[in-house]
Amino acid sequence: MSVDSIYFITGAILFGMGFIALVIRTNLLHRLLAVNIMGVGVFMWFIAGAYQHGATDSVPHALVLTGIVVAVSATAFALALLLKIHLAENKERPS
Amino acid sequence: MLAVIDLSIATIIIIIAAFSLFSRKILSSIIYFIAFGLLVSLAWIRLGAPDVAIAEAAIGAGLTGALFLATWKRLQRVKAPETGEAASSIVLPLSISLLSLLLTAFVVGSIFNSVSSAGLASLVNETLPQSGVSNPVTAVLLNFRSFDTLLEIAVLFLTMLAIRALAIDFAIVQVNIKSSIFLQGILALVVPLSIIAGAYLLWIGSSEPGGAFQAGAIWAGALVIMQLANIKFLFRLHNNGLLSIGLGVFIFAAIATYLLTGSVLMYPADQAKFWILAIETAAAVSIAFILYELFCVSHSSVETKPAVSVAHDRMATEGANKS
């Protein structure tokens, strides 16, 4: 079993597990974590694909770097929305 | 034989991901997610992608984890305690699971006969000498595909604006961490070290793994630590100029290169390294402050005043009422 196929399969499993959790978990924080893990599964595909061609391919690496930064922006925005939803439903009590 | 290492890394990654996705408590899910990010960065190193590994460890595990933890902490104050998830019908989860397993099987099956193209590695290696830098990832990010990177900085900037526009009262709560000799000692070591490490990664990014994103992420980490330990800085850290300098310099470079060479972000011959370093430095500063800003917003509180002064005000008004 070659190195890249190990990570191809891992990425596919991560995506699948993340998708299952996205559907069956009801807490929004859990769902957001699930989306992040699905994203890592996709990144793993890119990097494993770059590894295949003897010399590693830098273009997918650059794409994944961009992807990581965009993922953290999207997560931060989603967390702010999530906070807003909870604040609309409940009042914050001072700590 | 070497595949044994990869097999064990992959197995641990899957197990930790399962813990993170399916554990009952949110706090343990988040902590498993941070561990997951660090393990994934090991996998990136095994796959020959050190640039991605640094970014994953700093942003994917570190900052995303900090964002989740800060939001979780704040939700504790907003919500009633967890009552556990409502039991739902087993049919939907089961059918979804079967569907996604089928999808996974299809995907795994398709990879073994799909990858046949040679990729872009040879093209990158051929044109690398003209790019001004010798790290191929930096060359792709800031020369061959620099327009994508410009848009990426714009995405970061827009996210920051969008979060501000949500108008979650933007006030930083001072965490009441007791200042101790131990904490001061750790900070005196960690903060300068991470500033130097970030600057090193920024400079070395032209020839070795590293670059603007990794440097910015590490600086953001230092800022977050300082924020948590309640350290005052020389100037106000929520500085609009620092937040927008990256995008500004990038757009300025796009216009300037258009005027000089006739096409956007096509650097003048032999000056590519100067342009790339100038853009990277400005971008790294902005990335650091935007990521820090994202953290601060999720960490801020509805109260517009620090807890201590609120208590003080309350005592003052009560005193006034009595008299």
Side-chain angles (χ1 to χ4, degrees), chain B residues 27-272:
Chain B
L27 180 60
S28 37
S29 279
I30 297 170
I31 291 169
Y32 279 125
F33 179 77
I34 296 171
F36 168 80
L38 294 173
L39 284 164
V40 167
S41 68
L42 270 184
W44 297 156
I45 290 178
R46 290 291 304 161
L47 286 168
D51 295 88
V52 185
I54 299 170
E56 177 75 40
I59 302 179
L63 272 168
T64 311
L67 277 171
F68 269 106
L69 280 175
T71 311
W72 174 80
K73 182 74 190 157
R74 197 168 163 198
L75 285 179
Q76 294 298 100
R77 279 185 282 137
V78 175
K79 279 201 317 185
E82 290 284 314
T83 49
E85 289 177 22
S88 55
S89 153
I90 193 73
V91 182
L92 178 70
L94 202 69
S95 50
I96 293 289
S97 313
L98 282 176
L99 189 74
S100 58
L101 279 180
L102 271 176
L103 190 78
T104 308
F106 169 73
V107 149
V108 170
S110 68
I111 57 170
F112 291 108
N113 48 23
S114 68
V115 187
S116 55
S117 71
L120 295 165
S122 55
L123 198 62
V124 170
N125 287 333
E126 271 171 33
T127 42
L128 193 58
Q130 301 152 30
S131 71
V133 289
S134 52
N135 177 8
V137 177
T138 305
V140 172
L141 275 175
L142 282 140
N143 200 335
F144 305 147
R145 302 295 307 164
S146 47
F147 196 64
D148 296 0
T149 312
L150 169 61
L151 292 180
E152 176 188 0
I153 307 270
V155 165
L156 255 183
F157 190 74
L158 280 178
T159 309
M160 194 265 301
L161 288 185
I163 290 179
R164 275 193 175 182
L166 276 177
I168 295 174
D169 297 301
F170 188 72
I172 310 304
V173 154
Q174 303 298 335
V175 195
N176 294 317
I177 295 179
K178 286 202 183 85
S179 187
S180 65
I181 294 176
F182 181 66
L183 182 67
Q184 298 292 336
I186 293 270
L187 282 171
L189 194 67
V190 167
V191 172
L193 261 183
S194 28
I195 292 171
I196 294 172
Y200 173 76
L201 278 177
L202 178 64
W203 175 252
I204 206 77
S206 57
S207 55
E208 303 281 329
F213 293 103
Q214 292 86 345
I218 287 179
W219 285 341
L223 289 169
V224 166
I225 291 171
M226 281 166 59
Q227 160 72 26
L228 288 175
N230 197 4
I231 288 183
K232 299 282 179 292
F233 208 59
L234 289 174
F235 53 92
R236 208 168 148 267
L237 288 176
H238 301 280
N239 185 320
N240 289 340
L242 289 173
L243 289 169
S244 48
I245 187 175
L247 188 59
V249 167
F250 220 139
I251 290 174
F252 173 78
I255 296 170
T257 46
Y258 178 71
L259 294 178
L260 285 172
T261 64
S263 66
V264 172
L265 289 171
M266 168 85 99
Y267 308 120
D270 302 331
Q271 291 175 17

Side-chain angles (χ1 to χ4, degrees), chain A residues 91-95, chain B residues 73-74 76-78 173-176 299-303 305-308 310-311 314:
Chain A
K91 273 195 86 92
E92 182 161 5
R93 49 179 193 278
S95 54
Chain B
K73 182 74 190 157
R74 197 168 163 198
Q76 294 298 100
R77 279 185 282 137
V78 175
V173 154
Q174 303 298 335
V175 195
N176 294 317
H299 187 251
S300 64
S301 167
V302 164
E303 305 162 46
K305 291 174 184 173
V308 179
V310 168
R314 203 172 289 152

